Amino acid sequence: MMRRFFTVMVVLWLGLIALPVSAQTAATPALTAPATEAAALTPLATGPAAPAAAAPAKANEPFRLNIGLEGQGQTGEVSVAIQIVIVMTLLSVAPSIVLLMTSFTRIVIVLGFVRTALGTPSAPSNQIIVGLSLFLTFFLMGPVIDRVNNEALSPYLDGKITSVVALDRASQPLKQFMLKQTRTRDVEYFLEIGGYGPTAVKDLPMRVVIPAYVISELQTAFQMGFLLFLPFLVIDFLVSSVLMALGMMMMPPTTVALPLKLLLFVLVDGWHLVVRSLVQSFAT
């Protein structure tokens, strides 16, 4: 009995749910007919009422996003898709450009040698060394950046030159800066490795200029580091000799030499001398 009762209740409940659905289905043709008649009568309407009737339909249209690739039909212009790829590539290699194609390499190596020669491996910290090197790099590369902006970037943004011409003009000031700091033998060495014949300076490819410049910068930075180590090395020798003469075998020489190094560096205004030497080394 209980099973039958539950069965009947379930059937009744399903019937109550189905009634509104069937009623709505039956009412749909009745609602559709006037709408159809109204749609049929719409073309007969005249005056300002017709555009007003079409307004709700336009308001319900979904938003659309149109992406165009302008500039493809211009002569000598690279397509927008290729320009985007080039920009993304430049952004990904931007740290390498800053590290290897500017004055940053020599500056950060020399400042690292100064810290090592003083015997203070954690003062100044790496963040300070890198930050100072970056700001000195921006200072030294200011004329090159201005030339790139005036000769390549600004005309390109104004639409006076194409992207290909802008890229070629932007590389010229940077190439001239690197060649000014590069040794001739390094350039000749990479020309020989690359299989190039006698090449004029203006025709040197960047694949030759960049590695030659990096090797020259490393050589110059290590030469400056050697000269920086000499006065501090003399202090280490003197301290070691005095401690040996006094019989203080257990006293570490670095413990006594470090204050003397710091005192000497402060008295001669060491940071000013180092920074001035770095700046003047790029001016020659």
Side-chain angles (χ1 to χ4, degrees), residues 84-266:
I84 294 174
V85 173
I86 294 174
V87 171
M88 296 302 295
T89 304
L90 291 177
L91 290 177
S92 62
V93 300
S96 299
I97 295 175
V98 174
L99 292 178
L100 301 179
M101 298 175 64
T102 62
S103 57
F104 180 84
T105 303
R106 183 189 305 183
I107 295 173
V108 73
I109 292 176
V110 171
L111 293 181
F113 278 140
V114 171
R115 183 177 61 180
T116 306
L118 285 172
T120 55
S122 59
S125 62
N126 292 329
Q127 291 83 355
I128 296 176
I129 294 294
V130 174
L132 179 59
S133 302
L134 283 174
F135 281 107
L136 287 176
T137 300
F138 293 150
F139 174 77
L140 291 171
M141 299 298 294
V144 178
I145 296 174
D146 292 339
R147 284 190 57 190
V148 171
N149 181 55
N150 296 331
E151 298 177 7
L153 185 59
S154 296
Y156 173 71
L157 295 178
D158 295 338
K160 298 179 181 178
I161 58 176
T162 62
S163 58
V164 177
V165 177
L167 187 61
D168 182 66
R169 289 187 181 181
S171 63
Q172 295 302 319
L174 194 58
K175 182 190 293 186
Q176 293 176 6
F177 169 81
M178 289 189 292
L179 288 175
K180 189 177 180 181
Q181 308 299 328
T182 305
R183 293 176 174 83
T184 305
R185 60 184 181 88
D186 293 329
V187 177
E188 293 176 351
Y189 173 70
F190 283 99
L191 283 175
E192 181 181 356
I193 292 178
Y196 294 93
T199 307
V201 176
K202 62 179 181 179
D203 298 330
L204 288 173
M206 293 295 286
R207 58 175 295 191
V208 172
V209 176
I210 294 175
Y213 171 75
V214 174
I215 297 299
S216 298
E217 285 294 284
L218 292 176
Q219 182 74 14
T220 304
F222 275 74
Q223 290 177 354
M224 297 180 68
F226 171 75
L227 297 176
L228 286 171
F229 265 93
L230 287 179
F232 301 110
L233 188 62
V234 172
I235 293 177
D236 288 331
F237 280 143
L238 292 176
V239 171
S240 299
S241 300
V242 171
L243 291 178
M244 289 288 290
L246 295 176
M248 303 176 66
M249 304 294 182
M250 303 302 293
M251 175 67 71
T254 56
T255 305
V256 182
L258 179 58
L260 297 178
K261 291 179 181 179
L262 294 177
L263 179 62
L264 174 65
F265 196 72
V266 171

